[in-house]
Amino acid sequence: MDTPATTQTGHPRRWAILGVLVISLLVVVLDNTVLNVALRTIADPEHGLGATQSQLEWAINSYTLVFAGLLFTAGILADRLGRRVTLMTGLVLFGIASLISAYADSASQLIAARALMGLGAAAVMPATLSIIANVFDPRERGRAIGVWAGAVGLGVAIGPIVGGLLLEHFWWGSVFLINVPIVVAGVALVAILVPESRDPKPGRIDFLGVILSIIGLSLLTYGVIKGGEDGFGDTLAWTTLVGSVVVLTGFVLWERRVALPSLDVKLFANKQFSASTGVIGLVFFGAMGAMFFGAFYLQLVRGYGPLASGALFVPFAVAQMVFAPRSAAMVKRFGPKMVSTVGLLLVALGLAAWLFIGATTPIWIVGAAFFVMGVGMANVMPSATESIMAALPREKAGVGSAVSNTIRQLGGALGVAVLGAILSSVYRDDLGSATDGLPAAAADAAKESISGAYGVAEQAGAAAPALINGANDAFLSAMHYAAVGSVIFALLGAVVAVLWLPGKRPATAPAPSSAEGLAEEQGVELVEA
């Protein structure tokens, strides 16, 4: 028989609930990576929508813009209205938007539908993590968050494989249509298994704070996207970023003085909370930037198709699945500081491998680099996320989850934008004389990106081999510079972890002997489904 000190007091169906939450999370995370392998097909006038490069970029960015801009607000609403109802609403919106995307008749319709998908995802993501915080005993919560974080990594990695399989057998819309039956099953399971929970004392809504957060985060996300596309010297890019800083500064000042703030900004005085959010942002900056240039390397320089290149992300997924659920035990044994620091150093090591990868590097080295990155992130994400959630009372779990996910999303978007800008700049500088003799329009297209160079080469006749060789050499040089940037940010994350994350925690007092007692202690309203 368990002693009072070892009896777990979470919700009796907590592990089944976690399974439902993982399904809900996977469909959201997986879909965004699935789209990446479908872009070429969507651009095809015959087999797709004939989308332009700009339209393809906004098919991705419209989702990111709405998702990042509304994550924080969705977390607040989940705490107030109920996390289960917010999760179900988000899934329904996501499913409807997926159906519209699958049968879109134009690129403009696809962009609008993707924005609606971002709205649904913004409701789903924080609700899943905040429900975990409310149905799991604190002693099991770290393990549960490890499984949750593993699902994020799994979705990122298997998306290209799923997309490749679908595109080999079906039309481009299948990458969106597949979401619909999963969403239907998810909504049914959430309704049956997941209990409702909310903040029992929500107080008045901080309308001004909510509005400022939406405007500020949307401006910041748009500025990052625009800077990645046109360079951060572009007038619209830097003025939007400056505007976001002004609005978010106003948000912080308002939250400091209002009686019932949407976000208690004083939390950032807590070193554990601030360092954990910083670590998440920095690790996603480096990792998502590397996956961005890695996809171009595999599909263009190495010539792998969507399915084969997607398969090379499997080692990352395997590492997440194996190590993320075990991260809680590592934190318990060694403490968040040690686990996160070692994890970030492993991420930096995996990223550093890209400095030595060339056109003929054995492909197993690429797979090994992704595996090492996956092991590192599997130990960083759960421990940092658990530190954020532990710094907040349970009734504010939605806000904590929203902060964590907003930083993750912005870190990833900023990594792609900044490292993508480095990639483009060095590529253009190093392309040199490879475009000599080409018509002006063709030369400009080839200088824009390696994808443009390959497109021009298809029509370049005898000049094609020299152009391809020059583009590959310029891209590899640019990739190495971008890899240096990703390593620097991963190492910066390790410095933050060493300086400010807590060490090994002392043993804690026994938890209350029942789920109801735990909820009462935490001031949480828990309503059975």
Side-chain angles (χ1 to χ4, degrees):
M1 181 181 295
D2 288 335
T3 65
T6 60
T7 300
Q8 299 299 337
T9 59
H11 193 282
R13 297 197 302 263
R14 59 194 179 277
W15 293 107
I17 291 169
L18 179 61
V20 176
L21 298 178
V22 164
I23 292 172
S24 303
L25 181 67
L26 262 179
V27 71
V28 171
V29 176
L30 183 147
D31 182 79
N32 215 29
T33 54
V34 163
L35 177 62
N36 290 331
V37 300
L39 292 177
R40 282 193 173 187
T41 306
I42 294 172
D44 190 302
E46 183 178 350
H47 299 102
L49 298 175
T52 65
Q53 181 66 30
S54 177
Q55 288 172 329
L56 290 175
E57 290 172 355
W58 276 105
I60 296 173
N61 293 339
S62 62
Y63 176 95
T64 303
L65 182 62
V66 175
F67 184 39
L70 293 178
L71 262 173
F72 180 70
T73 301
I76 295 170
L77 292 176
D79 284 341
R80 186 179 186 87
L81 303 177
R83 287 136 192 162
R84 182 179 67 171
V85 70
T86 302
L87 175 58
M88 292 175 66
T89 301
L91 284 171
V92 169
L93 284 173
F94 194 86
I96 292 171
S98 297
L99 190 62
I100 296 172
S101 297
Y103 293 100
D105 292 328
S106 67
S108 297
Q109 286 184 15
L110 179 60
I111 291 168
R114 289 282 296 163
L116 183 59
M117 289 176 74
L119 176 60
V124 169
M125 185 72 80
T128 58
L129 187 53
S130 57
I131 289 170
I132 288 173
N134 277 277
V135 300
F136 278 90
D137 181 295
R139 290 168 293 183
E140 288 185 319
R141 187 172 59 198
R143 183 182 171 195
I145 289 177
V147 174
W148 179 91
V152 174
L154 179 63
V156 168
I158 68 173
I161 302 173
V162 173
L165 285 170
L166 289 170
L167 290 171
E168 285 193 357
H169 297 93
F170 306 101
W171 94 113
W172 67 268
S174 62
V175 301
F176 298 110
L177 193 61
I178 193 176
N179 296 333
V180 177
I182 301 174
V183 164
V184 171
V187 169
L189 290 170
V190 169
I192 294 169
L193 291 175
V194 177
E196 186 61 281
S197 63
R198 60 179 66 88
D199 186 346
K201 299 176 181 178
R204 293 177 300 173
I205 297 180
D206 173 21
F207 286 106
L208 181 58
V210 168
I211 292 171
L212 288 174
S213 72
I214 293 173
I215 295 173
L217 290 171
S218 297
L219 288 174
L220 177 59
T221 308
Y222 181 81
V224 167
I225 291 169
K226 194 66 177 172
E229 289 179 353
D230 302 325
F232 289 94
D234 178 75
T235 302
L236 185 56
W238 71 260
T239 54
T240 303
L241 288 172
V242 170
S244 73
V245 171
V246 172
V247 175
L248 290 175
T249 300
F251 170 75
V252 171
L253 294 175
W254 172 255
E255 296 299 287
R256 286 176 62 88
R257 60 173 292 183
V258 69
L260 297 170
S262 299
L263 174 65
D264 185 359
V265 294
K266 295 176 184 176
L267 282 169
F268 288 95
N270 180 326
K271 290 189 293 185
Q272 173 178 320
F273 185 87
S274 295
S276 298
T277 55
V279 161
I280 288 173
L282 289 167
V283 74
F284 266 85
F285 183 105
M288 293 302 102
M291 287 186 174
F292 172 74
F293 60 67
F296 283 99
Y297 168 79
L298 292 171
Q299 292 199 28
L300 294 175
V301 177
R302 300 303 293 262
Y304 290 104
L307 182 58
S309 61
L312 285 163
F313 287 92
V314 169
F316 181 89
V318 170
Q320 291 280 309
M321 293 173 64
V322 172
F323 290 94
R326 291 167 170 76
S327 63
M330 299 296 289
V331 170
K332 184 177 180 180
R333 183 173 181 182
F334 299 106
K337 182 193 295 287
M338 178 66 74
V339 173
S340 294
T341 301
V342 172
L344 282 156
L345 290 176
L346 285 173
V347 171
L349 179 63
L351 293 170
W354 287 94
L355 293 169
F356 307 99
I357 290 174
T360 59
T361 299
I363 204 63
W364 69 264
I365 294 178
V366 176
F370 278 129
F371 181 79
V372 173
M373 282 174 56
V375 174
M377 288 191 71
N379 285 284
V380 173
M381 284 300 297
S383 59
T385 303
E386 162 63 7
S387 293
I388 291 172
M389 302 307 289
L392 292 167
R394 281 190 172 189
E395 63 269 21
K396 299 297 183 184
V399 173
S401 174
V403 170
S404 169
N405 284 295
T406 299
I407 294 297
R408 181 181 63 80
Q409 187 72 15
L410 289 174
L414 193 59
V416 170
V418 173
L419 297 181
I422 294 172
L423 195 74
S424 297
S425 177
V426 176
Y427 169 82
R428 285 192 294 268
D429 290 343
D430 286 8
L431 192 57
S433 60
T435 59
D436 290 353
L438 293 175
D444 289 342
K447 291 176 181 177
E448 185 66 27
S449 67
I450 187 173
S451 298
Y454 270 72
V456 170
E458 292 177 359
Q459 312 294 327
L467 176 59
I468 291 296
N469 289 334
N472 284 346
D473 290 343
F475 178 83
L476 289 171
S477 177
M479 185 180 77
H480 295 155
Y481 275 96
V484 170
S486 66
V487 170
I488 289 172
F489 277 86
L491 292 175
L492 183 58
V495 171
V496 171
V498 167
L499 293 179
W500 292 297
L501 282 183
K504 185 177 179 180
R505 296 185 179 95
T508 56
S513 59
S514 68
E516 290 78 9
L518 183 62
E520 181 179 351
E521 180 187 270
Q522 297 290 342
V524 176
E525 180 184 355
L526 190 62
V527 182
E528 280 292 333

